[in-house]
Structure formats: C-alpha cells, structure tokens
Amino acid sequence: MLGGSVYIAFMRFAISLAGVIILFSRISESRFDRNKTIVCYGCFSVVVLILASAWYVVDWKSCVRIVAFAMYACFAVFAIILSSDSVYLSIYKLALTFYLLAVFLVGGLEVAIIFFDSNIWADIITRVILILLMTFFIEKKLKSSIREFGDYVEKEVDKFSVAIMIISILLGIGFILNPNAKEMTPYRIYQIVVNFILTGTLQLLVFRLYFHVGIEREYERENQLIQMNHRLLERQMELLEESVEAGRRVRHDVRHHNAVIAEYVRNLQNEELLQYLKEYDREIDQGVVQVICVNRAVNNILSAYTRKAKGEQIKVTMDVQIGRKLTIPNIDMVTIIANAYENAIYACMEVKKHSEERECFIHFAIKRRKNKLMIFCSNTCRMETELKNGQPKTEFTGGIGVSSIIKTAEKYSGIYDFKNENGVFVFRLVMNIPPDL
C-alpha cells in the first residue's frame, strides 16, 4: 500500500470494490432483477467500506496486509448468494474476477511506484483506467463466450479438473499479492510479471480447451439430430413404398371387382350384388390407416413408428389428445416424439434379445391442457437400465436423441424426468407452449 489518509484509503477501497462488482456482473447473471441487484450490491458496498475504513483507522498495519483478501472473501460469499449460477460455476467466475482484481491492484501500485514516485493519485487513476479497459474488453469480446463456457462447464465438463485449475489460479494470485513482500526489486517485478503471464495463460488454455469441448458436444447433438432426420426419412420412405404398393393392389383388384359387379348386373342378381358390395365395404374399412390424432405431423410420425413397433411384435397403446394445430413448430414436436419413440422401440428390442419370455409394450400419451403440453412414454426395458445425471446412459438408448429431447424441451422451459421402474422405463415431459392466437 502507498499509505495516505483514511479518506484516500476509503477512495481506494471504493474503487477496488466497484471494479470487482462491475467485472463480476459482466460475466455472471444475478438471480434478481436489475434494480434489486443494484440495491443489494449498494447496501453490501456501504457496509464493507465502512468496516474497512474503520479497520484502517484502528490498525493500519494489519489492514494494509490483508484488507484486499478480507474484502474479496466477503464479496465472494455475497456474490455466490446473489448469483443465479451454481456454486461451482460461481467459484470459477470469482477466481477469474480475483485475477482481474490482482491486475488492477498490482498494476496501479507498480505504475505509481515506478513512474510517478509513489504518487497516490497515479495509483487511483491507473486503477480506474485498468478497470474501464477490462470492462470494455469483456463486454465487447468475452461476455458471450464466458457465459457459453459457463453453460458447458455446468453440463459437460469434468468438475475435478476445473477445481484443480481454480486452486492453481488462486495460489498464483496469492503469490502475486503477497503482503509480506515489502521490497520492490527488479527480481520481484520479474516474479510478478511472470506469475501474471502464467496464471493468465493457464486460464486462457483451460477456457479454450473446455470451450471447444462444449462445442464438440454441440456438434454431437447436431449429428444426433441428423441421424434422427435420417430415420424419419426412412420411416416416410417405408410409408410411401407401402402406399405405392397398396395403390397397385387396388388398381389390380378394381378390375376384378368391376368384372364381378358386371356379371351380377347381367344376371339381374340384385340381392347378391348388394351382399357383395357390403363385404367389399368391410374390406375397405379394414384397410384404412388408423387415425391416431387430428394433427397431421404428429399423426404421421406416430403412425410410422407404431407400424415399426408392431412389426417388431411390440404391443402399442396410444392416448393422444391434441388439436389440429399447435403453437410450437412441427419440427420441435417431431424431434421429441420421434426420439422418445425410437428409444422405446430400441429398449424393447434389447429386452427381446436378452429375455424372449418378457412381453414388450409401449404406451404413448400426448395431452394439451391450456398452455401446457404433456408427453408421456412408458415402455419395457432391461432391468439393469441405468441413469447418469438423471438421463439414461447411451448404451441403453442406442445413443439416439436424449440430448435432442432435452435441448428442445428447454426451449419451452420444459420440466422432464427419466426413470426405470423395475423394468419399465418412464419418460415424462411438461412444456409451456404459446397460447393460441
């Protein structure tokens, strides 16, 4: 510290605390709205600044040594409570903020000592400039990337390795801010510069590594979506081929029916003709494709997969209660239904491989209640089907589409769960959908 009156110390404390709050708020989301967040940070700042200034007056030496750590520790606890991120992710972002704190604290001190003969105002002005530059850089270049990175850390990344990274960052910054190092020699300046570079490089490398891991996961999800589309096209091609074959059969049969009708007419056999026509009507009714629901897209996809399931000797029951039109895109509905149905069929086929005596079934239900859409699917599955982080492992689903279901559901603030109930796999989803116009 460069010393000075309690008013100067208060100004430094205020600038440092404001800098930390601004930088942290740029990379993290608060659980409250903007106005309430500002009030909370304002009340916290007033209390901390009063206590820090009182400490400075009562015991200047101890305050100089550890006030920065004490203030930041208090801020860390308060920020974790205020942040909408998980505790684990908040700690990572606090470690990054701590690094930036070290940059403008040490930067201000070193500039003032080396270039301005320990001038107090040079230290203060340098801190303000550094805080503004870092805020501008984060806002323009890093804000969206850091928040996306946070999502990847939360969902995909090995938390143990990130914990090691955070500890390494804190140890490096702790060495930089060593309060017992009083003499400022060229070697000490060299140590500070090298530690800043190494600690910053560590963060950059880990950030880029995990950011690309997250992007790779996104590519995997897109690949799963492509596979799903391929399967849907296969189902549609099967339906088309069956329709073409049925059309040929109808054209072939019509000639025979016309010949029979003509023969009845020539022989004036009206009663026999009427009886024949009744039988013909019954045959036509039996060949009509079952209508599962009035929504054409949903009906087509359910029909396609129901046909496949019955071809695998799987018992299927349906309870679909939705209107002709939904206020969400058909592609989103198809994504969820097709993936859930495909996984159910795969699970039943796996059961047949390992236990032929078990009867396999699939029950599918879709219902709409006002602005809620409920999707339920239960099916026979292997007893040993396991879940990881609340999701079925890929070896029990064929690696098809669970992440696509989740990603689509989250677009509509969906609540979902998966579970294995003694050999019956259950998938439940409730989504918010826009009201009808």
Side-chain angles (χ1 to χ4, degrees), residues 41-54:
Y41 275 130
C43 295
F44 170 79
S45 300
V46 170
V47 173
V48 170
L49 291 175
I50 291 174
L51 293 176
S53 299

Side-chain angles (χ1 to χ4, degrees), residues 291-297 299 322-325:
V291 177
I292 299 173
C293 71
V294 296
N295 184 286
R296 187 172 299 174
N299 187 78
I322 57 175
R324 186 175 300 277
K325 291 184 178 180

Side-chain angles (χ1 to χ4, degrees), residues 141-320:
K141 301 293 184 180
L142 295 178
K143 184 176 178 179
S144 59
S145 297
I146 289 175
R147 291 186 175 176
E148 288 178 12
F149 169 73
D151 293 336
Y152 297 148
V153 170
E154 189 110 26
K155 297 177 181 177
E156 308 288 355
V157 176
D158 173 24
K159 292 181 171 56
F160 175 77
S161 58
V162 179
I164 296 300
M165 183 267 294
I166 291 172
I167 292 171
S168 301
I169 292 171
L170 295 177
L171 290 175
I173 297 170
F175 177 81
I176 293 170
L177 296 177
N178 181 9
N180 295 318
K182 298 180 180 179
E183 187 178 356
M184 189 56 60
T185 63
Y187 180 69
R188 171 64 181 167
I189 295 174
Y190 171 77
Q191 285 182 313
I192 292 174
V193 172
V194 169
N195 270 276
F196 267 126
I197 293 173
L198 292 178
T199 307
T201 302
L202 172 64
Q203 290 191 85
L204 178 62
L205 290 176
V206 172
F207 172 81
R208 290 183 62 84
L209 171 64
Y210 288 134
F211 190 75
H212 285 293
V213 167
I215 292 175
E216 184 178 348
R217 294 289 189 273
E218 292 293 330
Y219 288 151
E220 289 179 3
R221 293 190 187 97
E222 291 178 3
N223 183 50
Q224 287 182 346
L225 187 60
I226 292 172
Q227 292 179 15
M228 183 204 71
N229 289 333
H230 176 70
R231 286 170 171 78
L232 289 178
L233 288 174
E234 287 180 343
R235 301 289 88 79
Q236 293 294 337
M237 288 298 295
E238 290 172 4
L239 289 175
L240 181 60
E241 289 174 0
E242 291 177 2
S243 298
V244 171
E245 183 62 30
R248 290 174 181 169
R249 187 169 58 252
V250 168
R251 288 192 297 272
H252 180 267
D253 292 344
V254 163
R255 289 196 295 270
H256 295 290
H257 291 305
N258 288 341
V260 171
I261 292 171
E263 189 65 25
Y264 279 128
V265 171
R266 278 194 294 269
N267 296 329
L268 301 177
Q269 296 174 307
N270 295 331
E271 293 295 330
E272 290 82 353
L273 175 59
L274 291 174
Q275 183 63 31
Y276 178 79
L277 291 175
K278 289 179 182 179
E279 293 176 359
Y280 184 50
D281 287 340
R282 282 197 296 269
E283 288 183 9
I284 292 175
D285 291 338
Q286 291 175 359
V288 172
V289 177
Q290 179 185 5
V291 177
I292 299 173
C293 71
V294 296
N295 184 286
R296 187 172 299 174
V298 174
N299 187 78
N300 288 343
I301 194 63
L302 290 175
S303 298
Y305 278 99
T306 299
R307 191 181 296 265
K308 178 177 174 60
K310 290 182 177 179
E312 298 292 339
Q313 306 302 313
I314 301 170
K315 182 181 178 181
V316 179
T317 56
M318 293 280 176
D319 183 10
V320 182

